[in-house]
Amino acid sequence: MDYFDARRYIDDVMAGRGSVLGLDSVKELLRRMDNPQDKVPVVHIAGTNGKGSAVSFIYSILRQAKYKTGIYISPSVFEYRERIQINGCNISEKEYAEEISVVKNHVDEMERDMISAPTAFEMETAAAFHYFYKNRCDIAVIETGMGGRDDATNVCNSPLVSAIMSVSKDHTAFLGDTIEEIASSKAGVIKTGCPVVLYRQDESVINVIRRFAEEKASLLKITEKVAEVKYYKDITEFDYKSSKDLYKSLNIQMAGTFQPENAAVAVEVAEILRDKGFFISRENIYNGLKTALWHGRFEKIGDKPLFYIDGAHNPGASKCLKSNIETYFKNYFVILIMGVLADKDFDEVILDTVPLADYIFAITPNNPRALPAEKLAAAVRKISKKVIVQESIDEAVVQAIELSERAEDKESVILAFGSLSYLGELKDSYDKSVRRKSKAVKDTA
């Protein structure tokens, strides 16, 4: 099996089985693989929003401390193989094919034994754990896919520490209709006697997580509020007083008004890891936060015009995006490129973002669950008539750039957001547009 065969196999499984909650199948698969998930120290990250940022901050701190660190994330944004990494390097095509081949052999045996086969996400989760173990990682930072209790990643019996980020409504068909039900699902990552760090948030969520932590006799650390936050063009500076130390003038380059709070989770996780024997200095924490990067989360991809991409696809994330627009782009000419999935609460996302925009381009993401651009535009028109339907992502980018250049009376910014599934394609479109423009300038020179 080569890489393309492996990808085709996983895609076929995804199309045939979709998402199935529960751990029986993935646990059986891992048992047949000699339980690699129990042979690699793990930091487990759950939550609705901020998981990826927390992974990046923790990952960067551990790399500064010279630990061989793996990460497992989903979904990917720019490159499929970025979901499985070791020390900043994506799993290679050859290694991915090898891991999926191992998984497929065991899945075939399960099917012959009349045992329910795992989903595609469960297979890739098993492959990731096996890859980290085979490569002798010192530690792995694992991001849940959906939920917590029944998520395929929730197979580690004793993670070093779990972290639960911001919890809001998403995947309600699977996780429940209320914030308390969703928080209960996320709390399923808490294991007996294993510490948990909780992002400071609404008391309704805190109370649920506290109850689960008490039942599991797990140390619960709720982050403190960050202080003295200063937003600059390329960095954010803030102070944080943890349960053990005071960190003055921490710097992060990941933009966004909620990133300091996400970074606070990473600081608390690092201190717990230090208590467990990892040699992580204050300098490692400072440098790790400062050098952390995360694609597709309020990420600037261009300066002329100013162009950002953001995976704000649910109400919790859209509130963060709203805060970012109000903080960074007050009095700007704001152009939105928006593409969402039909199974998301896009009405609330629209309410948070569209009133702040001068123009909106509605597009259809390249995803089988995508909401058609026409339907998105119809929902947007309830708030703003300045919406343009554009089926082509290339054309949406070109028209947005042309529109921004005509906004002569004020600075402009283009924000493309919604489903992470189209942001990689959109960045490619932006890069092509910049190259075409550069070539045109050279040709006329």
Side-chain angles (χ1 to χ4, degrees), residues 49-121:
N49 297 301
K51 297 193 300 288
S53 297
V55 168
S56 180
F57 285 129
I58 296 165
Y59 182 44
S60 187
I61 290 169
L62 286 165
R63 291 191 64 197
Q64 286 289 325
K66 306 302 182 185
Y67 286 102
K68 188 173 186 179
T69 307
I71 61 170
Y72 179 54
I73 59 171
S74 64
S76 49
V77 179
F78 297 146
E79 159 62 52
Y80 187 86
R81 291 177 290 109
E82 73 189 28
R83 60 188 61 196
I84 302 175
Q85 301 177 36
I86 296 177
N87 281 8
C89 296
N90 298 344
I91 186 171
S92 70
E93 292 185 357
K94 179 176 180 291
E95 290 167 317
Y96 180 87
E98 289 172 351
E99 294 298 340
I100 297 302
S101 294
V102 170
V103 167
K104 183 180 183 302
N105 289 337
H106 290 293
V107 171
D108 289 344
E109 290 176 359
M110 289 173 64
E111 291 180 321
R112 284 195 294 270
D113 294 339
M114 305 296 288
I115 296 173
S116 179
T119 65
F121 182 62

Side-chain angles (χ1 to χ4, degrees), residues 38 42 54 102 116 135 201 217 220 286 359 369 393:
D38 292 330
V42 164
V102 170
S116 179
N135 284 276
Q201 55 197 289
L220 173 63
Y286 271 88
Y359 276 93
R369 293 154 50 208
I393 291 177

Side-chain angles (χ1 to χ4, degrees), residues 5 17 39 44 60 73 76 78 182 200 214 220 223 268-269 279 301 306 313-314 317 341 377 385 387 397 411 432:
D5 291 332
R17 295 176 199 156
K39 299 175 182 178
H44 200 192
S60 187
I73 59 171
S76 49
F78 297 146
I182 295 170
R200 177 172 292 277
E214 289 172 351
L220 173 63
T223 56
E268 298 288 355
V269 167
F279 295 97
I301 62 171
L306 201 57
H313 62 284
N314 58 42
L341 302 184
K385 303 302 180 187
V387 58
V397 170
E411 291 185 275
K432 283 190 294 185

Side-chain angles (χ1 to χ4, degrees), residues 256-272:
T257 57
F258 286 76
Q259 290 297 8
E261 304 288 351
N262 292 334
V265 172
V267 172
E268 298 288 355
V269 167
E271 290 189 343
I272 289 173

